[in-house]
Amino acid sequence: MSEKHPGPLVVEGKLSDAERLKRESNYLRGTIKEDLQDGLTGGFRGDNFLLIRFHGMYQQDDRDIRAERAEQKLEPRHAMMLRCRLPGGIITTEQWRAIDKFAEDKTIYGSIRLTNRQTFQFHGILKKNVKPAHEMLHEVGLDALATANDVNRNVLCTSNPVESELHQEAYEWAKKLSEHLLPRTRAYAEIWWDQEKVATTDEEPILGETYLPRKFKTTVVVPPQNDVDLHANDMNFIAIAKDGKLVGFNLLVGGGLSIEHGNKATYARTASEFGYIPLEHTLAVAEAVVTTQRDWGNRTDRKNAKTKYTLERVGVEVFKAEVERRAGIKFEPTRAYEFTGRGDRIGWVKGIDDKWHLTLFIENGRILDYPDRPLKTGLMAIAKIHKGDFRLTANQNLIVAGVPASEKAAIEKIAKESGLMNAVKPQRENSMACVSFPTCPLAMAEAERFLPQFVTKVEEVLEKHQVPDEHIVTRVTGCPNGCGRALLAEIGLVGKAPGRYNLHIGGNRIGTRIPRMYRENITELEILASIDELVGRWAKEREADEGFGDFTIRAGIIRPVLDPARDLWD
Ligand code: HEM
Ligand code: SF4
């Protein structure tokens, strides 16, 4: 279908200002170092405001108190969000102890946010604490390099550590991909770790002097789990095994969820299958995809710059042929694979290595001491006695991994006492929200703070229709940028204005279909009325094991999105 709309390989025209900024940044240095000394403002000035994103930080302010500060003629209360690089979401307990302490001592909110891209963020780091944050990460072998802006960001990997050896191998590839595609500039080490400037000139053989046209996201997926939600990502490697050993990957390119309200030139898109490659070609192919997007991605319009738009403009076959040419390979036909779900298995599971793994459900990924649930203190106590590691999942949960049978009871005791093992229903386990208010500057409606009560109301609807243990993959995202991945949910709410959302339905449980807008700009009450009516029908009319999203399509309640680039907005 995409082949009907070939366009130019390179879009000519006036480059966006972001391109100037990158070119003039001296390989991401800008004047960040000097700016750090400027105590007159709590923020970063000029280009540095955006450049710090390449170093894993966003400048934000507390939107709950913005108006009050303005009235007092004060600048907004600036503080940074800092996001770590954590390929595959694996973090040692030693590292955890360090980040817990930092959150406690040096952030405004005192919390750690597990993100749905398998890493963690600190919110509310004052300017004076920014350098100490990077130093702390360095001391424990972590960094925040390239976790935001126009680079390959944190590489995801299916987080199940237990069921087959494949997961270990897949994780190793996630790490290799992350390292291979990192910026080579020494700017990060010079600015944050005071490392000497090396005399040689910088070079970016893969990303180029002006880096990528837009953010770029990569996953490694081990079927039958699609927990990483591959279709939200630019480049995806689906693990293919033979006799229990990883032999290669299917490559899928060009997924992405961000849209703009009312702008029909923007769309969410599922990734296209390019074909199968044996393992030895993995890095060359990854590099070829990244450099093709680097050279062909639209640098004149950031709203049209992601890989999904490049694919649609030049045609999937043309993009694929270029990747083959650059990598010196031919894709084999895509090998068979199947997904059965996206959720995490909460609770204890025994692994093939005879060790135990405990997946803890963390609502919204927010690790904080609540009055009745000291989650943060509990995890810190586990981190003090646990010798394995922690694994962050793409569902914002945390796995205490590699627990010997002899230590199970002690860990479980702490987890129970601190509310980390409170029973929740499948509906809550399968619900997710982005951060949104108060920290996100782009938020239009509440998400993280709205979700818990909203889920309770959806649970009541399920109960009313006598399907209390069922679930509908439900996600809320505070604006159409889509960080909450609502456009791969069965029920997706996309923030429009305070208290108002667009309601999307018709996605499926395994995350391979984009839901279509069903009602526009409605309130929570209206959303719940729609859900009540639809769940009532689903409960009565569904076929065996038929998910809510599939039902809404089969029953003709909503038309499936088949070719999102063209029919998402119909
Ligand atoms: C134009 C598109 C986008 C922009 C401008 C954007 C911007 C942002 C901002 C400002 C934050 C920080 C919010 C905070 O922590 O206070 C954020 C968080 C995040 N975004 Fe995005 N985003 C975009 C699209 C996406 C998409 C499509 C995804 C994934 C499908 C994504 C994944 C995330 C994740 C994982 C976080 C961390 C917090 C969380 O788990 O919700 N973003 N984004
Ligand atoms: S979806 Fe919008 S509101 Fe939510 S974190 Fe992303 S940018 Fe912020």
Side-chain angles (χ1 to χ4, degrees):
M1 266 172 275
S2 317
E3 303 322 306
K4 286 189 214 146
H5 300 264
L9 298 183
V10 176
V11 180
E12 306 287 346
K14 188 174 176 298
L15 297 182
S16 69
D17 190 54
E19 296 301 321
R20 174 204 58 76
L21 181 145
K22 288 181 273 184
R23 176 162 292 108
E24 291 174 4
S25 75
N26 183 19
Y27 292 93
L28 310 182
R29 289 181 180 81
T31 53
I32 296 174
K33 210 164 180 164
E34 295 73 25
D35 207 331
L36 281 174
Q37 310 303 322
D38 177 359
L40 287 177
T41 164
F44 285 83
R45 292 181 194 275
D47 286 356
N48 298 335
F49 172 82
L50 291 171
L51 266 184
I52 59 168
R53 295 189 184 174
F54 286 94
H55 301 256
M57 292 173 293
Y58 278 78
Q59 182 166 317
Q60 310 189 319
D61 69 287
D62 190 330
R63 294 184 61 179
D64 286 348
I65 56 169
R66 197 186 267 178
E68 180 191 321
R69 303 263 306 180
E71 245 167 55
Q72 297 166 1
K73 305 225 168 358
L74 293 170
E75 73 170 14
R77 189 199 203 189
H78 295 303
M80 311 307 139
M81 176 274 270
L82 185 147
R83 185 184 290 158
C84 187
R85 185 173 67 91
L86 209 61
I90 299 190
I91 179 164
T92 66
T93 43
E94 184 206 351
Q95 290 168 336
W96 185 270
R97 294 197 299 269
I99 68 162
D100 177 281
K101 185 160 178 358
F102 184 87
E104 187 74 39
D105 297 347
K106 301 240 166 68
T107 71
I108 296 174
Y109 302 100
S111 69
I112 300 169
R113 176 64 152 72
L114 308 186
T115 83
N116 66 26
R117 294 198 80 258
Q118 281 189 306
T119 183
F120 63 86
Q121 296 180 172
F122 298 113
H123 286 111
I125 305 182
L126 296 177
K127 195 173 175 185
K128 64 175 185 191
N129 288 326
V130 162
K131 192 152 179 285
H134 291 281
E135 284 165 350
M136 175 277 297
L137 291 177
H138 189 41
E139 269 165 35
V140 292
L142 295 171
D143 61 68
L145 178 57
T147 52
N149 231 334
D150 304 343
V151 282
N152 179 58
R153 300 193 179 180
N154 195 41
V155 177
L156 306 195
C157 179
T158 299
S159 52
N160 186 335
V162 294
E163 271 150 335
S164 80
E165 282 152 14
L166 271 198
H167 288 93
Q168 186 57 33
E169 288 185 81
Y171 166 66
E172 297 300 334
W173 278 105
K175 257 198 324 198
K176 274 187 235 174
L177 284 161
S178 174
E179 298 292 328
H180 192 70
L181 299 172
L182 272 185
R184 303 280 199 269
T185 173
R186 304 258 315 141
Y188 187 88
E190 285 168 24
I191 298 171
W192 309 112
W193 302 340
D194 293 324
Q195 291 187 2
E196 291 288 306
K197 192 165 190 321
V198 184
T200 54
T201 45
D202 292 281
E203 255 182 60
E204 292 286 8
I206 300 178
L207 300 172
E209 187 196 0
T210 48
Y211 297 84
L212 301 181
R214 199 73 174 80
K215 63 173 80 166
F216 190 94
K217 297 177 180 172
T218 302
T219 73
V220 179
V221 199
V222 186
Q225 280 302 320
N226 181 23
D227 55 348
V228 298
D229 246 338
L230 75 95
H231 289 292
N233 295 274
D234 297 74
M235 176 165 73
N236 306 279
F237 293 88
I238 300 188
I240 300 295
K242 198 165 172 236
D243 303 327
K245 289 296 275 182
L246 185 66
V247 289
F249 292 110
N250 288 332
L251 178 71
L252 277 76
V253 179
L257 303 183
S258 176
I259 54 172
E260 199 181 42
H261 283 311
N263 180 353
K264 295 190 176 176
T266 65
Y267 44 82
R269 185 184 190 279
T270 48
S272 305
E273 286 179 350
F274 273 28
Y276 170 83
I277 48 158
L279 273 191
E280 62 267 26
H281 297 320
T282 307
L283 293 182
V285 166
E287 199 174 313
V289 174
V290 169
T291 60
T292 303
Q293 162 61 6
R294 175 196 71 196
D295 297 342
W296 290 0
N298 184 350
R299 290 181 187 261
T300 69
D301 176 5
R302 289 182 68 77
K303 294 198 173 87
N304 185 252
K306 287 213 67 189
T307 317
K308 61 181 178 181
Y309 298 117
T310 314
L311 275 186
E312 291 291 342
R313 188 183 72 247
V314 305
V316 173
E317 289 307 319
V318 173
F319 196 112
K320 178 177 152 185
E322 181 67 7
V323 172
E324 290 181 325
R325 192 185 70 73
R326 291 184 186 213
I329 58 112
K330 280 268 171 237
F331 286 103
E332 295 172 30
T334 298
R335 301 243 173 128
Y337 65 95
E338 195 193 359
F339 291 129
T340 55
R342 274 184 291 178
D344 294 337
R345 269 213 270 151
I346 306 301
W348 287 106
V349 198
K350 191 173 182 192
I352 45 164
D353 53 0
D354 270 351
K355 294 256 177 72
W356 288 85
H357 308 273
L358 174 63
T359 305
L360 301 171
F361 169 73
I362 312 283
E363 188 155 48
N364 286 324
R366 183 68 69 178
I367 299 197
L368 182 66
D369 282 344
Y370 299 92
D372 54 337
R373 290 173 297 144
L375 306 185
K376 185 162 164 295
T377 301
L379 275 175
M380 182 65 158
I382 294 175
K384 280 182 183 155
I385 60 165
H386 175 49
K387 292 176 195 69
D389 48 45
F390 286 172
R391 299 180 183 205
L392 313 189
T393 81
N395 290 307
Q396 303 166 331
N397 295 319
L398 185 146
I399 304 174
V400 184
V403 179
S406 56
E407 282 169 26
K408 245 182 107 190
I411 287 176
E412 183 166 322
K413 183 164 183 286
I414 302 172
K416 282 198 166 142
E417 283 171 3
S418 42
L420 285 158
M421 287 182 82
N422 287 358
V424 290
K425 295 205 153 153
Q427 180 55 44
R428 200 168 295 274
E429 287 176 12
N430 287 283
S431 300
M432 174 154 82
C434 73
V435 178
S436 200
F437 286 107
T439 55
C440 181
L442 306 167
M444 297 176 175
E446 293 282 351
E448 179 178 325
R449 298 194 293 200
F450 166 82
L451 187 78
Q453 302 89 319
F454 180 70
V455 171
T456 304
K457 291 170 195 161
V458 175
E459 284 173 344
E460 282 162 15
V461 172
L462 293 172
E463 210 149 295
K464 172 176 161 196
H465 296 290
Q466 290 161 9
V467 285
D469 296 319
E470 264 296 355
H471 73 273
I472 303 170
V473 176
T474 301
R475 295 171 177 181
V476 185
T477 202
C479 83
N481 286 327
C483 311
R485 302 203 299 256
L487 291 195
L488 282 172
E490 294 184 282
I491 293 179
L493 303 186
V494 182
K496 190 96 206 259
R500 303 192 86 92
Y501 301 84
N502 291 347
L503 167 63
H504 287 246
I505 58 171
N508 59 18
R509 282 189 173 166
I510 56 173
T512 55
R513 194 172 55 228
I514 289 167
R516 186 184 292 283
M517 185 161 71
Y518 179 65
R519 296 278 184 265
E520 191 171 3
N521 197 21
I522 58 175
T523 62
E524 183 184 14
L525 269 181
E526 292 167 310
I527 294 164
L528 286 164
S530 283
I531 293 179
D532 184 22
E533 182 203 328
L534 297 174
V535 169
R537 286 193 57 187
W538 175 53
K540 281 203 210 74
E541 300 169 31
R542 67 186 168 152
E543 291 173 352
D545 293 330
E546 189 176 34
F548 174 81
D550 286 341
F551 167 75
T552 59
I553 302 274
R554 184 179 59 78
I557 296 165
I558 194 96
R559 274 177 310 119
V561 174
L562 299 175
D563 182 11
R566 276 156 283 281
D567 75 356
L568 179 67
W569 295 90
D570 287 353

